[in-house]
Amino acid sequence: MAISLIDPVVMPFISTFLFVFALIFGLLSYSKIGEFNKKVNALLALAIAGFSVMYEPLVLGMQQYMPIAAAVLIVVFFFALLKKIFGKKEGDKAGDTVPLIITLAVLLLLMVAFGQNLTSFLPAGMDPQSVLWGVGIIIAVLFFWLIYKTKETPQ
């Protein structure tokens, strides 16, 4: 009997393995904890992902919450990418956050435009209106906080 990768019994284990591997490898590479090279980071991520697949409650939980976790990580890595791209360089002003403010404004507009399409990815039992309002409020608060943070200080 051959095992297919699309098999509903095997797919949660594969997706959990890949998700944990990518998360651990990305965090180790980005944070440079231990100053390891990429091969060591990959081996550490491989070992942690392998052990995480053996813990069945994690696999079941990841199967249920994978869409939320993926969405959160996309946003987190998006902001990390923006920080790396638009981060401070020698001689830059400390409060130059205009690109991040523009990104938050565009993100809020996209959420308003496509919010109803995103609700189908939420797990059962979550109120889509509450989730959209919560995310919108968080984005708006970050938007106004960054604007407040960039105001000119008198010299």
Side-chain angles (χ1 to χ4, degrees):
M1 180 174 148
I3 296 177
S4 171
L5 291 179
I6 309 293
D7 186 15
V9 175
V10 176
M11 196 60 179
F13 293 98
I14 293 172
S15 64
T16 300
F17 177 82
L18 291 174
F19 186 79
V20 172
F21 177 80
L23 178 68
I24 299 297
F25 183 72
L27 288 174
L28 285 172
S29 297
Y30 182 76
S31 66
K32 296 185 180 16
I33 294 176
E35 300 291 326
F36 299 128
N37 63 18
K38 290 198 183 265
K39 291 178 184 177
V40 174
N41 288 343
L43 284 174
L44 285 170
L46 187 68
I48 292 171
F51 283 116
S52 68
V53 169
M54 291 181 204
Y55 186 59
E56 194 166 343
L58 176 69
V59 174
L60 295 175
M62 288 301 290
Q63 183 180 5
Q64 184 176 2
Y65 295 112
M66 185 73 74
I68 295 172
V72 167
L73 283 175
I74 287 170
V75 171
V76 166
F77 284 119
F78 179 69
F79 282 123
L81 176 70
L82 285 177
K83 181 182 174 195
K84 192 168 193 137
I85 291 173
F86 299 113
K88 284 194 301 183
K89 296 179 182 89
E90 297 262 344
D92 285 351
K93 292 189 289 185
D96 190 22
T97 57
V98 173
L100 192 54
I101 292 171
I102 293 170
T103 303
L104 284 172
V106 170
L107 185 63
L108 189 59
L109 290 173
L110 287 173
M111 204 180 96
V112 169
F114 300 111
Q116 293 302 321
N117 296 343
L118 298 174
T119 59
S120 62
F121 295 105
L122 294 175
M126 292 187 79
D127 182 30
Q129 289 293 97
S130 298
V131 171
L132 289 176
W133 271 101
V135 171
I137 289 171
I138 290 170
I139 291 172
V141 166
L142 282 172
F143 178 79
F144 288 114
W145 178 70
L146 285 171
I147 290 174
Y148 173 76
K149 186 177 155 185
T150 59
K151 72 178 185 176
E152 294 284 331
T153 56
Q155 300 200 12

